[in-house]
Amino acid sequence: MTGEVAVLGAGMHPWGKWGRGFVEYGTKAARAALADAGLEWSAIQSVVGANTVRCGYPGQVAGATFAKALGWQGARVTSVYAACASGARAIDTARAQILSGMADTVLVVGSDAAPKGFFAPAGGERPDDPDWLRFRVLGATNPAYFALWARRRMALYGDTAEDFARVKVKNAAAGAANPYARYRSPVTAEEVAASPVVADPLRLLDICATSDGAAALVLGSVETARRLGMARPVRIRAVSSVSPTHPRTALDLPDIATDSAPPGSPVPDPFRPSIARAAYEEAGLGPEDLSLAEVYDLSTALELEWYEDLGLCAPGEGAKLLREGATAPGGRIPVNPSGGLASFGEAVPAQAIAQVCELTWQLRGQAGERQVPGARAGITVNQGLFGHGSSVVAVR
Amino acid sequence: MSPTRVPVVDGWFTAEGGEFRLLGTCCRDCGAVYFPREDAFCRAPGCSGTELAEVPLSRRGRVWSYTDGRYRPPAPYPSGPERTWRPYTLIAVELAAERMVVLGQGAPGVALADLAIGMEVEVVPGVLAEEDGRTLTTWHWRPVPEEGPAPDGRPAPGEAS
Ligand SMILES: [Zn+2]
């Protein structure tokens, strides 16, 4: 088991389409996290930024960008990128610095100002870039992959469009109670069914939007938390950052084809379940110990997939778990009490940090209307393209 | 003068010998097959292979999943706003011999209603778009006709040969 680090503070800038710059959003979230920790900026020894690839050079040196915006004070700066998993990798980097004794107080920030519509690759002619190629050769957008997986679930497990809509209805109801969410209105199954098809079988309301937003955490050693007078701080007990194993035979974006498996060999271990498995092993707990989970619902159907990959139910039983109400507020294991990506829309480098902010508030009992009663342990999970898995376990 | 025909990516497919095939590469040391092709190093962990031979992939496979694109994808998809936009199907096909899944667009006219998971499909030459006075060629997947010989003269599945 790896050592624990304490969450000293958490802060966010509300998600939305605000039309301003990512530096402003991130700075606001950072200041909120510092205030929550009761720490002056000058007390921060290291800044880890989760990069955005959409905001020019400053976005690709996010650690330095936020250190400058908060006022250069000489702290160590690090910038990391891992697509949708960038925020969790930033947390992992901060944790390593704390556990190795490099720093006692680390600020983690992720922020994005997202374009309208489909995410698209950077310009230029780059036939050796799989992300460029899938758009160039196939016009295969992210929702196209979500739809391929969704149809596969329908064929293998009997999931229906109504099951998918039920995920949106659940998450929209939760998001309506979250002041940081972008969409704050309940959604009905009829509204999902009436929204236009984007990539059959998925409709517009099955697919998460792209948003502006920012989230930040102040992490420190458990010792530091005690020194600050926090008797029972939220502690990060595990950060899984596993990569896939060869051959990968499950189709995943941005790839046009899977690896090939040798004839007669056993079916290779799929990637997604391995992400949570590593987190459970490191945390020394299992799905039965969880009070809540924040999962990466890029699509409604994908949320059901995560139930199974987290071990909340057996493969193929995600829709059943949902229908039973187990993952709704008040259920056995509420999933996405924050409202999830369905209510936030994706602000890529901020999203995995926002998931941990939600765990923090839930574990402290500060989640207001959306509070999971008596929350003791929570997990986040997400997957960034190009083989980045991430899962964080926090306890109190 | 008719526009020049150029493959949308070099070296991914061929019609040489009169038969259209996707082209991958195969590691001479461990036999791993790659599409898109790997030409310098084998990616199998523990294999130090550096010789990869070009191999044609199976011509037929079974539908692993499928969808369509109802909105115009962004660049670099060759479909600027000045062009007519035609929705297309996307089909992921499982090749049994290679034990791999390969995506492709459905041939023109292939609708979602024509497809089902597990259905047999075959690879056929296709046109992706006209761009800058060139015709960009690609591969398409198309359901194998149930009766009669396949268009290239091969017997249809189940037919006595
Ligand atoms: Zn090899």
Side-chain angles (χ1 to χ4, degrees):
Chain A
M1 228 168 92
T2 320
E4 297 178 335
V5 298
V7 179
L8 307 178
M12 279 162 66
H13 181 291
W15 265 232
K17 277 277 162 114
W18 307 111
R20 300 195 307 278
F22 84 104
V23 182
E24 182 183 327
Y25 310 141
T27 305
K28 169 150 179 149
R31 285 171 177 257
L34 287 165
D36 185 48
L39 280 177
E40 296 294 331
W41 158 234
S42 56
I44 296 296
Q45 297 168 354
S46 169
V47 181
V48 183
N51 293 351
T52 165
V53 292
R54 271 170 290 279
C55 301
Y57 215 137
Q60 311 214 22
V61 291
T65 297
F66 294 117
K68 180 186 174 190
L70 290 159
W72 290 122
Q73 46 89 316
R76 182 192 296 274
V77 294
T78 312
S79 304
V80 302
Y81 187 70
C84 299
S86 298
R89 293 304 168 85
I91 292 169
D92 199 26
T93 302
R95 179 177 78 139
Q97 293 181 350
I98 294 163
L99 292 178
S100 68
M102 284 165 68
D104 282 331
T105 49
V106 185
L107 173 68
V108 177
V109 191
S111 176
D112 210 0
K116 192 176 157 51
F118 294 122
F119 281 143
E125 176 101 7
R126 292 195 316 282
D128 54 352
D129 169 356
D131 197 46
W132 185 87
L133 279 168
R134 55 135 171 172
F135 281 98
R136 174 67 174 165
V137 178
L138 299 173
T141 58
N142 291 3
Y145 287 83
F146 307 156
L148 290 168
W149 302 333
R151 184 178 311 281
R152 189 85 191 146
R153 288 192 64 83
M154 295 170 96
L156 284 187
Y157 304 139
D159 287 11
T160 63
E162 290 72 33
D163 292 326
F164 300 155
R166 211 171 267 128
V167 174
K168 177 70 175 187
V169 172
K170 170 182 78 68
N171 288 349
N178 190 340
Y180 294 106
R182 173 176 172 189
Y183 302 105
R184 309 267 330 261
S185 311
V187 171
T188 65
E190 292 71 30
E191 285 168 321
V192 180
S195 67
V197 174
V198 173
D200 196 282
L202 297 179
R203 295 174 179 275
L204 192 61
L205 292 184
D206 284 306
I207 295 165
C208 93
T210 60
S211 293
D212 298 351
L217 290 164
V218 179
L219 302 179
S221 62
V222 176
E223 199 63 2
T224 303
R226 298 233 167 81
R227 213 168 48 237
L228 290 169
M230 300 175 187
R232 282 180 61 226
V234 170
R235 290 158 291 138
I236 291 178
R237 185 170 275 185
V239 183
S240 159
S241 53
V242 293
S243 57
T245 53
H246 183 89
R248 287 193 77 187
T249 54
L251 185 67
D252 201 358
L253 55 83
D255 295 327
I256 283 177
T258 66
D259 290 332
S260 150
S265 63
V267 177
D269 196 25
F271 179 42
R272 265 199 297 261
S274 76
I275 300 171
R277 200 163 55 234
Y280 288 137
E281 275 169 23
E282 188 173 289
L285 49 73
E288 64 285 354
D289 301 311
L290 298 174
S291 315
L292 72 148
E294 284 282 317
V295 308
Y296 224 63
D297 56 321
L298 291 165
S299 81
T300 50
L302 190 61
E303 175 165 320
L304 302 180
E305 196 96 20
W306 283 124
Y307 295 175
E308 298 159 15
D309 295 338
L310 283 180
L312 305 181
C313 61
E317 292 183 358
K320 179 166 167 274
L321 194 72
L322 173 78
R323 282 186 226 120
E324 291 167 357
T327 59
R332 174 166 68 75
I333 170 73
V335 176
N336 284 336
S338 70
L341 272 67
S343 302
F344 276 74
E346 191 184 17
V348 177
Q351 212 68 43
I353 301 172
Q355 289 182 315
V356 178
C357 288
E358 178 69 9
L359 289 194
T360 300
W361 292 322
Q362 290 283 354
L363 294 170
R364 286 180 183 166
Q366 296 175 336
E369 264 186 81
R370 57 183 201 286
Q371 181 66 45
V372 176
R376 298 293 305 276
I379 195 168
T380 73
V381 70
N382 74 28
Q383 187 191 347
L385 81 175
F386 287 105
H388 294 101
S390 275
S391 177
V392 177
V393 174
V395 298
R396 183 158 181 249
Chain B
M1 209 180 89
S2 66
T4 330
R5 291 172 73 86
V6 290
V8 63
V9 186
D10 282 326
W12 281 20
F13 48 82
T14 180
E16 262 173 45
E19 191 183 56
F20 185 83
R21 301 288 284 264
L22 288 170
L23 291 176
T25 56
C26 178
C27 173
R28 284 194 208 272
D29 284 5
C30 75
V33 177
Y34 297 102
F35 180 84
R37 54 192 302 146
E38 296 286 351
D39 287 294
F41 298 103
C42 176
R43 287 194 284 103
C47 177
S48 53
T50 54
E51 285 182 54
L52 294 113
E54 187 172 275
V55 287
L57 301 186
S58 299
R59 216 166 55 83
R60 289 183 174 175
R62 294 197 177 272
V63 174
W64 182 82
S65 191
Y66 57 98
T67 183
D68 59 359
R70 303 281 178 102
Y71 291 84
R72 190 194 294 270
Y77 190 68
S79 171
E82 74 284 358
R83 292 198 182 89
T84 348
W85 161 241
R86 179 181 59 83
Y88 50 83
T89 54
L90 274 174
I91 310 176
V93 177
E94 197 162 17
L95 306 179
E98 292 84 356
R99 290 181 75 192
M100 71 193 301
V101 173
V102 179
L103 261 179
Q105 291 189 351
V110 173
L112 292 177
D114 303 327
L115 296 167
I117 287 177
M119 172 185 274
E120 189 167 42
V121 292
E122 62 187 0
V123 71
V124 292
V127 167
L128 180 63
E130 306 292 330
E131 185 182 69
D132 305 331
R134 303 176 307 169
T135 299
L136 299 179
T137 59
T138 189
W139 74 95
H140 284 150
W141 293 112
R142 180 183 68 184
V144 172
E146 292 206 359
E147 284 168 337
D152 62 1
R154 287 189 159 202
E159 205 173 286
S161 51

